[in-house]
Amino acid sequence: MAFTSRTDTLMKYMSLDQKGSVIAEYIWIDSVGNTRSKSRTLPAKEYTPADLPTWNFDGSSTGQAPGENSDVYLKPVAVFADPFLGSPNILVLAECWDNDGTPNKYNYRHECAKLMEAHKDRKPWFGLEQEYTLLGDDDRPYGWPKGGFPAPQFQYYCGVGYGNVVQRDIVLAHYKACLYAGINISGTNAEVMPAQWEFQVGPCEGIAMGDQLWVARFILNRVAEDFGAKVSVHPKPMKGDWNGAGLHTNFSTEEMRVEGGMAYIEAAIKKLEARHADHIAVYGEENEQRLTGRHETGAIDQFTWGIANRACSIRIPREVGAKGYGYFEDRRPASNADPYRITHAIMLSCFGDAE
Ligand code: ADP
Ligand code: MN
Ligand code: MN
Ligand code: MN
């Protein structure tokens, strides 16, 4: 599809009065880990999820339901300001439910929310580092020479300057849009492979982590759409001597964040070790291409941990090791993993089931 931008013309319409209506963009997660959305008009007021109507969509068009029973329900769970249309318009994150009153097969939020509620006294905080790659129309990383390769990895990580980074306008627009929406975005950086970037969201407590990351992903895809670039969250977009892309997951509980916390951090790491394979199973598709033990990763079939070591499954940041309390980083999740499944697995391993 050819890219055309008509921003100047669009702007004529963007300032028109909405005559007392709010546009609500309902967002959900489909069967392959993309976001989908559609909009509807509601009377102007301040909305919380409880005031928002349940809606539905054709699940047979998103791989979420069979054609003969295709209605999937959208139950609002979180509301954000809409950075594309501005106030009073809103983004509405919704959970997918089937007609028989059970969560849709691809609704990983429901179980995660239950577990977060059961263990809420732990005050679990998460911080996710979303790495992604911007692709051009040829489905190769943006700006890579046609039929060839850029210079080997070195100058790109946190890079500055023409030739070192591409599409910084997308990164900046996404950052501003997330702040406007009310996403707890904590920073951004250019990554090791050219055309690869990262943003961080967190710390977020409990289920808010998955909610915020999914909406931040939606916003990124909308922004990149405006700029004519594709967003890939494949964990190994380019084979060979190029870094993969992860979703490093930083985690702490209240006990870990205060003096004496290291004992709780080490206890949690032991629990994670015992369920290594169960974690890998929900930490993203094709992650074996990335977790090779090279390119700043641990090997997929080994559980390892260390202070300040980036070739491990789990890294304790140097500063946390020195202070003796804080948080740890699970480096295993792939960039295409579902944050609800990651945070669910960590809570389940550390603290057990809800019942
Ligand atoms: P890295 O050094 O691995 O690149 P980043 O700075 O990219 O780390 O990301 C660290 C993430 O950890 C951020 O999202 C931050 O909000 C989050 N974080 C910081 N402190 C905590 C904590 N106590 N518990 C959980 N997450 C935390
Ligand atoms: Mn980072
Ligand atoms: Mn990174
Ligand atoms: Mn990291």
Side-chain angles (χ1 to χ4, degrees):
M1 282 191 278
F3 173 67
T4 52
S5 173
R6 291 163 298 182
T7 306
D8 292 351
T9 312
L10 172 63
M11 290 321 283
K12 287 202 303 190
Y13 303 95
M14 292 298 275
S15 55
L16 291 175
D17 184 10
Q18 293 183 193
K19 309 277 176 135
S21 291
V22 162
I23 301 173
E25 187 80 26
Y26 276 52
I27 301 165
W28 72 95
I29 301 145
D30 71 9
S31 55
V32 294
N34 287 326
T35 50
R36 305 263 181 153
S37 76
K38 59 176 187 164
S39 52
R40 68 183 289 171
T41 308
L42 296 172
K45 67 172 238 163
E46 289 270 316
Y47 283 99
T48 64
D51 318 316
L52 283 157
T54 295
W55 201 13
N56 59 67
F57 67 96
D58 166 16
S60 71
S61 295
T62 62
Q64 285 170 277
E68 66 279 5
N69 185 12
S70 63
D71 276 5
V72 176
Y73 290 98
L74 292 170
K75 289 195 187 171
V77 292
V79 181
F80 298 87
D82 183 337
F84 303 102
L85 295 177
S87 178
N89 304 304
I90 53 177
L91 303 179
V92 177
L93 181 69
E95 266 190 30
C96 294
W97 284 72
D98 290 345
N99 181 38
D100 62 0
T102 59
N104 185 257
K105 183 175 169 203
Y106 302 98
N107 175 354
Y108 294 109
R109 185 185 187 279
H110 177 66
E111 283 301 318
C112 182
K114 278 207 301 204
L115 197 58
M116 292 297 177
E117 179 61 25
H119 297 308
K120 68 176 177 213
D121 292 349
R122 307 272 180 182
K123 297 198 169 32
W125 288 6
F126 299 91
L128 291 176
E129 303 169 48
Q130 176 71 65
E131 294 179 337
Y132 61 95
T133 309
L134 294 169
L135 307 180
D137 281 342
D138 57 359
D139 288 325
R140 296 187 81 220
Y142 203 97
W144 283 36
K146 283 236 161 340
F149 293 90
Q153 294 182 158
F154 172 69
Q155 72 262 43
Y156 313 113
Y157 169 73
C158 298
V160 175
Y162 184 68
N164 296 333
V165 295
V166 290
Q167 302 270 33
R168 192 189 295 276
D169 43 11
I170 292 176
V171 178
L172 294 175
H174 174 253
Y175 202 161
K176 293 279 279 192
C178 282
L179 290 174
Y180 180 89
I183 300 291
N184 188 14
I185 184 168
S186 38
T188 70
N189 60 268
E191 268 305 335
V192 174
M193 185 182 94
Q196 201 167 80
W197 291 86
E198 170 179 314
F199 66 87
Q200 303 97 29
V201 178
C204 293
E205 191 162 322
I207 196 67
M209 183 71 260
D211 292 349
Q212 293 215 10
L213 191 81
W214 273 113
V215 174
R217 284 176 170 178
F218 166 81
I219 293 173
L220 179 61
N221 277 281
R222 278 288 305 270
V223 167
E225 174 189 320
D226 279 347
F227 286 93
K230 300 180 195 181
V231 178
S232 167
V233 288
H234 192 277
K236 190 77 178 179
M238 295 306 281
K239 314 274 173 272
D241 219 359
W242 305 101
N243 272 32
L247 187 60
H248 294 170
T249 302
N250 300 275
F251 176 63
S252 64
T253 59
E254 194 165 42
E255 295 160 330
M256 297 176 194
R257 291 190 290 269
V258 296
E259 209 135 314
M262 193 57 80
Y264 294 94
I265 290 175
E266 287 179 9
I269 292 172
K270 285 218 166 62
K271 301 253 183 177
L272 295 186
E273 178 165 27
R275 293 185 70 248
H276 177 63
D278 301 281
H279 283 255
I280 292 296
V282 297
Y283 276 7
E285 299 291 322
E286 305 196 317
N287 203 12
E288 69 285 350
Q289 296 177 22
R290 163 179 168 263
L291 293 182
T292 56
R294 298 183 60 228
H295 301 114
E296 304 174 48
T297 71
I300 196 162
D301 55 356
Q302 283 164 32
F303 182 92
T304 51
W305 65 280
I307 294 176
N309 189 339
R310 284 185 160 71
C312 282
S313 316
I314 307 284
R315 163 178 153 258
I316 296 177
R318 168 83 64 211
E319 188 206 346
V320 173
K323 279 195 312 198
Y325 60 93
Y327 65 99
F328 64 88
E329 176 192 46
D330 188 342
R331 298 175 60 80
R332 295 172 293 174
S335 48
N336 59 1
D338 184 324
Y340 296 130
R341 301 183 82 179
I342 302 173
T343 58
H344 181 271
I346 291 175
M347 294 303 285
L348 187 62
S349 294
C350 290
F351 307 117
D353 227 331
E355 278 76 42

